[in-house]
Amino acid sequence: LEKMCGILHAVKNQEPKLYEHLKNVMSEQGKVWGKRELLTDIGGRANKAMFIDRGHILASVYDRRGDKQVIFKYDPNDIIAGPEFLRNSIASLKLEALPGTHYVFITYDQMQEVFRKFPATQELATMITAEYRFREMQHLIGLHKKGIERVADFYDTNPHLLPAGEIMTDIEVATFLLLSEGALRDLRAKLIDQGRLKNTRRGMFGK
C-alpha cells in the first residue's frame, strides 16, 4: 500500500488524509494466488479496482470460435481501474491472476465514498485511466514490429516468464503478440540459439 500511495502521489499530489483512508480500507483486502485464478469474467460486474504488488493479471476476450485472445498484461505496480469500474458496468474483459500474484483491491462502493470525501480523486482516477489507455496504444504500436523483435522485446521485459509455460502459457503469449503458437516457439528458439534469450529461471516475477 505504501508503494501504491507513492504512485498515486506521483500522478497527482493528494492530501495525506486520502492515503490514510485508502490504507484503512484496503489493508485487509489483499489476495495472494498460488495458482491461476479468475478475477472477473466477461458479463460479470466490474466492481473492483486493483493494485498489483507482485505478479501479473491478464485481460482477455474471446474470438468468434471461442478462443481466448490476451489483449493486455498488467504488471507489478499497475493499477487496474478502467471506465467499466468507474461506471460499475458489465465487464467486457476477462481478468485472470497468474500464479504467484499478490494484489489489493477497493470496491466500487468504497471508491464512491472516496470520491465523496476527497473530490480531487475524480481527476486522479481520470488521469490513471488515460495513462493505461496510452500504454495499451503503445502495445498496439509495438505489434507492427517484426515477429522476432516482438518476441525479443517481450522476454527482455519479462525474463522471469522463461522457461516457457510455467506462469504464462505459450498460447497466451502468442495471442498477446499476435503470433501463432508455432511461430512463437520457432522465434523464441532462434533467439535462444543466438544467445539473445536465456531459457533459465531467473526468479518468479524477476525477484
Side-chain angles (χ1 to χ4, degrees), residues 10 17 45 64 67 75 83 90 92-93 102 108 126 128 157 187 206:
K17 287 184 178 180
R45 184 68 61 178
R64 293 177 181 176
D67 296 328
D75 300 320
I90 299 300
S92 60
L93 297 174
H102 174 252
Y108 174 81
T126 300
I128 290 171
T157 306
L187 293 169

Side-chain angles (χ1 to χ4, degrees), residues 14 31 33-34 38 57 61 117 119 125 132 144 153:
Q14 303 289 311
K31 296 284 187 180
W33 299 113
L38 175 66
I57 291 176
V61 295
K117 288 185 175 181
Y132 286 100
H144 291 284
D153 287 349

Side-chain angles (χ1 to χ4, degrees), residues 121-198:
T121 55
Q122 297 194 44
E123 182 183 1
L124 176 65
T126 300
M127 294 172 70
I128 290 171
T129 300
E131 170 65 22
Y132 286 100
R133 288 294 174 264
F134 176 76
R135 280 185 50 193
E136 290 166 4
M137 182 182 69
Q138 292 296 105
H139 171 63
L140 292 174
I141 292 171
L143 294 176
H144 291 284
K145 293 182 180 180
K146 291 182 178 179
I148 196 166
E149 295 306 321
R150 280 180 261 162
V151 176
D153 287 349
F154 179 82
Y155 286 111
D156 284 344
T157 306
N158 303 279
H160 53 282
L161 295 182
L162 287 171
E166 293 188 3
I167 299 173
M168 189 172 175
T169 67
D170 274 356
I171 191 62
E172 289 172 333
V173 176
T175 62
F176 183 57
L177 300 179
L178 288 188
L179 296 168
S180 70
E181 193 172 1
L184 167 67
R185 290 173 174 165
D186 290 345
L187 293 169
R188 185 174 58 213
K190 184 175 182 179
L191 289 165
I192 291 171
D193 289 344
Q194 292 174 349
R196 295 176 63 184
L197 295 180
K198 296 186 182 297

